[in-house]
Amino acid sequence: MWRLATLPAFHVHDLTVTGLVHVAKSDVVARAAIDPSVNIWLQDRGAIERRIAAIPYVAIARIHRRPLANVWIEIDERRPEACVRDTVGTDVTIDRDLRILETGCARGMSLTYDLRSELSTTPGTFSHDDELARLQKDARVLGAAGDRFADLKHDRFGALEATLHDGITIRFGDEGDLGTKQRLIGPILAQLGARSTKVRAVDLRAPATPVVEYR
């Protein structure tokens, strides 16, 4: 039995990795740390999967072993959701679970959260910043994961502000009834017509009496 288990035929002959977008195959192979001199069926599959899942962009890694010694590593990657900028100007990219995926803003990010505090920026860790969690929650209420808003932040009093991609600031104030307040933006700007290009901010802190501020 020992002689059978140590046959070279059971050493990895073919390694396939699928599901990669942000992660390089070489990084997956390095983290997997599969011993080429040991029977693949005797190696701890769970440990291999956990090592790969430590890569910041990896959500789930599944190891499939096929006779005699072919290995398929199936990767489910995390999707970048937003860029975060802290008070010292450091940028990181996060996913919906507030996992830090990388330092800097990933390509294609259209939404940024601006924080009033310094953020832990180690890729692969999860942020427990309360303000960031609040901004992300607000973004989901507002539908800010789409293309409408470029930036969400709290002012020095803790009131919510958002910036549209055309540079107009939306002052939401408290975070109650955000959905209703957001629905006012389109009609207000549409009513202004060409004058909307001169708008600096729309104040919705009192939604019954919105105020338009001009540049």
Side-chain angles (χ1 to χ4, degrees):
M1 183 65 70
W2 175 85
R3 181 174 297 177
L4 180 64
T6 57
L7 284 176
F10 293 103
H11 300 171
V12 175
H13 292 295
D14 183 64
L15 177 61
T16 302
V17 183
T18 60
L20 300 180
V21 177
H22 298 91
V23 182
K25 178 180 178 180
S26 58
D27 290 340
V28 173
V29 173
R31 289 292 187 102
I34 296 172
D35 191 333
S37 63
V38 175
N39 185 328
I40 186 58
W41 297 91
L42 299 179
Q43 297 189 50
D44 189 334
R45 182 174 65 180
I48 297 171
E49 291 172 340
R50 288 190 294 273
R51 290 195 294 270
I52 298 171
I55 297 173
Y57 265 101
V58 173
I60 300 173
R62 302 179 185 88
I63 305 298
H64 306 279
R65 294 174 288 195
R66 297 167 172 173
L68 288 174
N70 296 327
V71 176
W72 168 30
I73 302 177
E74 182 185 11
I75 301 293
D76 288 345
E77 287 194 359
R78 294 177 177 273
R79 296 181 60 182
E81 179 181 85
C83 185
V84 181
R85 180 172 298 116
D86 69 10
T87 190
V88 297
T90 301
D91 295 333
V92 297
T93 300
I94 61 166
D95 73 346
R96 64 177 292 109
D97 297 321
L98 300 183
R99 187 173 191 175
I100 297 173
L101 303 180
E102 61 175 284
T103 56
C105 292
R107 182 179 300 178
M109 290 295 93
S110 61
L111 176 64
T112 298
Y113 301 129
D114 279 326
L115 301 184
R116 296 172 295 168
S117 58
E118 189 172 351
L119 185 70
S120 173
T121 58
T122 305
T125 62
F126 291 87
S127 173
H128 301 287
D129 186 276
D130 291 338
E131 183 180 22
L132 177 55
R134 284 174 58 200
L135 288 173
Q136 185 189 60
K137 181 179 178 180
D138 292 340
R140 289 175 181 167
V141 174
L142 293 170
D147 294 331
R148 186 162 207 175
F149 296 102
D151 180 89
L152 261 69
K153 65 181 180 181
H154 294 113
D155 66 17
R156 60 195 179 98
F157 301 109
L160 181 65
E161 290 188 354
T163 304
L164 301 178
H165 283 282
D166 59 9
I168 298 175
T169 296
I170 309 297
R171 307 190 200 284
F172 286 104
D174 66 63
E175 291 159 314
D177 209 10
L178 289 179
T180 298
K181 293 175 182 177
Q182 181 196 218
R183 287 191 288 273
L184 296 174
I185 300 170
I188 289 173
L189 296 179
Q191 187 175 14
L192 291 172
R195 289 180 297 162
S196 65
T197 60
K198 300 182 183 300
V199 173
R200 179 179 65 191
V202 178
D203 191 334
L204 299 177
R205 288 176 290 185
T209 55
V211 176
V212 176
E213 303 172 15
Y214 291 92
R215 294 185 175 90

